[in-house]
Amino acid sequence: EVQLQASGGGLVQAGGSLRLSCAASGFTFDGYVIGWYRQAPGKEREGVLCVSSSDGITYYGDSVKGRFTTSTDNAKSTVYLEMNSLKPEDTAVYYCAADLRGMGCILTAVHGMSYWGKGTLVTVSS
């Protein structure tokens, strides 16, 4: 059974940093697409970034470019979301999602992620 567990959320002041983790299990940590999404109260879900293991390409949402990065620990089957220069508008529940069909980020965005984890709340105070 594929499982994803996002963790690391919390309260941080504007300008600060936070690292979220997405621990994956139930599949071989290869040939995957991992996406980070967020949903703020009263707003639609927004794509934050997507990383594809097949081509190594990472796509970033416009609102986080230059501030957020991602890294992977294959030994731990974990993908990290490094968030820097946080702003109050980054406040949201953050989710990680995965797809194993090997389509890369662009096509997966069209067809949708197959697996979703529970979110972790990030609150950025001004």
Side-chain angles (χ1 to χ4, degrees), residues 8-122:
L11 175 64
V12 62
Q13 288 188 331
S17 298
L18 206 59
R19 187 177 79 163
L20 305 184
S21 301
C22 176
S25 62
F27 63 96
T28 302
F29 207 59
D30 190 12
Y32 61 80
V33 166
I34 296 285
W36 283 98
Y37 298 81
R38 67 185 183 185
Q39 188 165 20
K43 295 188 177 181
E44 293 187 354
R45 188 174 63 199
E46 174 189 16
V48 175
L49 67 80
C50 178
V51 55
S52 171
S53 67
S54 59
D55 54 23
I57 297 176
T58 302
Y59 297 88
Y60 294 90
D62 289 339
S63 61
V64 305
K65 282 180 182 177
R67 300 188 299 122
F68 290 14
T69 60
T70 186
S71 61
T72 303
D73 186 334
N74 288 327
K76 296 182 178 180
S77 298
T78 299
V79 177
Y80 300 99
L81 176 63
E82 309 274 356
M83 305 186 294
N84 301 305
S85 302
L86 283 162
K87 305 174 182 180
E89 51 264 43
D90 293 319
T91 295
V93 177
Y94 284 71
Y95 301 87
C96 63
D99 193 271
L100 308 177
R101 291 171 288 182
M103 296 186 294
C105 285
I106 300 296
L107 285 177
T108 302
V110 173
H111 294 279
M113 293 286 189
S114 298
Y115 305 98
W116 290 83
K118 294 182 180 179
T120 184
L121 176 63
V122 173

